[in-house]
Amino acid sequence: MALVPCQVLRAAILLSYCSILCNYKAIDMPAHQTYGGSWKFLTFIDLVIQAVFFGICVLTDLSSLLTRGNDSQEQERQLKKLISLRDWMMAVLAFPVGVFVVTMFWSIYIYDRELVYPKLLDNFIPAWLNHGMHTTVLPFVLIEMRTTHHQYPSRSCGLAAVCTFAVGYILWVCWIHHVTGVWVYPLLEHLSPGVKIIFFAAVTVIINIFYLVGEVLNNYIWDTQK
């Protein structure tokens, strides 16, 4: 796929994430006024991750265009740093976290929406915004993977980074419960302490599996084994 169409596509995706974030933050929901604000929800954190990631993608594309035909080694080094950052974010955050949010949300939603997205939220969040937060993330990240080859880090480093993110978020959720006495997700209210530990461990394993799926899919699409 040509560079300019890819540029336009990434810029459009970035603008869509900016629109989703602005519309979400403009909603006057009680949950936004409590401890942790929007940052206690993995969906919001993922939206920020995706927006930052596609922002870096657009910046990389612009830098690539500006340095084309330029022999400056310093600019070349800066471009390589941007590409490395872009690839790392795709591998460790954008793909595994994005796929995790979409699959987990809709799996639990189909089983019992009250456990993850109570019907009360329909009064605050329109359907299009809900899909912008929980559905389009997946096709957007798959489009990016298909249009651009990303260099994955070593498997041990990548899995360590994903585990750090997962454990960090779990500790953040537990801290919010410690401070407020309320779990971020209604699902956790129905689990015993032992089952919560198993659930958190399973969540960490699942997000690591999604990292490996991203690595395999990237290699398959771009045939890096050859």
Side-chain angles (χ1 to χ4, degrees):
M1 191 174 286
L3 177 62
V4 173
C6 289
Q7 275 187 310
V8 173
L9 188 60
R10 293 188 189 101
I13 293 174
L14 174 61
L15 289 175
S16 72
Y17 277 123
C18 291
S19 175
I20 291 169
L21 282 167
C22 289
N23 279 276
Y24 178 75
K25 291 299 291 183
I27 297 173
D28 185 20
M29 284 200 307
H32 290 175
Q33 313 305 321
T34 57
Y35 185 82
S38 302
W39 292 98
K40 57 178 170 283
F41 300 113
L42 185 59
T43 293
F44 178 77
I45 294 173
D46 178 51
L47 287 175
V48 174
I49 288 172
Q50 302 296 333
V52 171
F53 168 68
F54 279 99
I56 293 173
C57 287
V58 170
L59 183 59
T60 302
D61 287 339
L62 290 175
S63 298
S64 179
L65 286 172
L66 292 174
T67 57
R68 180 173 293 178
N70 194 324
D71 295 330
S72 172
Q73 293 185 351
E74 178 59 28
Q75 289 183 341
E76 194 70 26
R77 280 195 296 268
Q78 295 302 321
L79 177 59
K80 287 181 179 179
K81 288 180 181 179
L82 267 178
I83 292 173
S84 296
L85 177 60
R86 178 201 67 187
D87 291 351
W88 185 88
M89 279 203 69
M90 176 65 170
V92 172
L93 294 175
F95 186 88
V97 178
V99 175
F100 177 85
V101 166
V102 173
T103 55
M104 288 295 290
F105 174 83
W106 287 112
S107 296
I108 299 174
Y109 185 98
I110 291 171
Y111 174 74
D112 184 356
R113 67 169 295 177
E114 294 298 319
L115 296 176
V116 67
Y117 193 81
K119 196 171 180 62
L120 176 67
L121 292 178
D122 290 342
N123 298 323
F124 300 95
I125 303 176
W128 72 266
L129 185 56
N130 180 29
H131 284 292
M133 297 188 297
H134 297 115
T135 305
T136 57
V137 173
L138 181 57
F140 283 168
V141 79
L142 289 176
I143 287 171
E144 171 60 23
M145 180 169 281
R146 178 62 184 86
T147 56
T148 306
H149 173 248
H150 297 274
Q151 184 67 44
Y152 268 61
S154 66
R155 184 167 293 180
S156 58
C157 290
L159 290 175
V162 172
C163 280
T164 300
F165 174 85
V167 172
Y169 180 70
I170 289 170
L171 292 176
W172 172 230
V173 168
C174 292
W175 174 255
I176 292 172
H177 177 261
H178 172 74
V179 173
T180 65
V182 178
W183 288 104
V184 173
Y185 303 102
L187 168 66
L188 297 173
E189 300 282 359
H190 302 279
L191 304 179
S192 65
V195 176
K196 281 188 182 73
I197 294 174
I198 296 174
F199 176 77
F200 288 144
V203 162
T204 304
V205 170
I206 290 170
I207 199 169
N208 275 273
I209 290 174
F210 285 140
Y211 170 85
L212 295 175
V213 169
E215 182 183 48
V216 171
L217 186 59
N218 182 70
N219 289 343
Y220 174 78
I221 291 173
W222 297 97
D223 201 19
T224 55
Q225 294 302 319
K226 291 184 179 181

